[in-house]
Amino acid sequence: MQAVPHDVLPPDPFADDPDDPAKGMGFFGDDLDEPIDGQARAELLSDLSDLAVYQALLEPRGVRGIVVDCGECDQPHFHDWSLLRASLEQLLADGRMRPHEPAYDPDPADYVSWDYCRGFADGVTATESARP
């Protein structure tokens, strides 16, 4: 897997601006509070592996990505396959995810939950295993 370089992101319009309105927000700083531990790293690698399988199985069927219910804002977040992969890779590399633009006017019918993906993959595996 290839990590998404940081220079792919749009430039910060307030870079080097002493009056940057986000300057006082500590969570945008470059220092990480805690590095990612071994268990979290293993879980992220497993999620990335699962994501590749889910995309291979579901993208040809018209599924654009995964929907996640956000516990902070109580709204569904729609992630295209590539955006979710990039976010997980960034979390793996940096220990956090940068803010990103949400999907523009997503059609909820084009997205499925992580649990749906897991169940679909399990069903395909069971079907393939049952064949003589």
Side-chain angles (χ1 to χ4, degrees):
M1 271 178 232
Q2 186 177 13
V4 176
H6 294 288
D7 60 351
V8 175
L9 299 172
D12 180 357
F14 294 102
D16 302 321
D17 182 348
D19 297 320
D20 181 350
K23 196 171 195 168
M25 301 173 85
F27 58 87
F28 287 119
D30 289 334
D31 298 328
L32 293 177
D33 293 332
E34 295 180 29
I36 191 167
D37 66 20
Q39 181 179 352
R41 182 174 188 73
E43 290 172 4
L44 283 169
L45 290 170
S46 176
D47 286 348
L48 282 165
S49 176
D50 290 346
L51 182 64
V53 171
Y54 302 157
Q55 182 178 4
L57 291 173
L58 293 166
E59 189 174 44
R61 291 172 168 79
V63 176
R64 293 194 56 191
I66 293 180
V67 60
V68 178
D69 290 325
C70 179
E72 292 180 24
C73 69
D74 293 326
Q75 296 291 319
H77 291 228
F78 299 91
H79 300 276
D80 287 347
W81 300 114
S82 60
L83 176 62
L84 186 53
R85 181 179 309 97
S87 294
L88 291 174
E89 288 173 346
Q90 186 175 43
L91 184 57
L92 187 64
D94 298 344
R96 64 177 168 194
M97 288 188 262
R98 288 186 180 175
H100 59 271
E101 289 293 321
Y104 175 75
D105 196 25
D107 181 353
D110 292 337
Y111 297 83
V112 295
S113 69
W114 195 267
D115 288 338
Y116 178 93
C117 292
R118 185 177 298 117
F120 189 89
D122 289 347
V124 169
T125 301
T127 301
E128 294 294 320
S129 297
R131 289 187 180 171

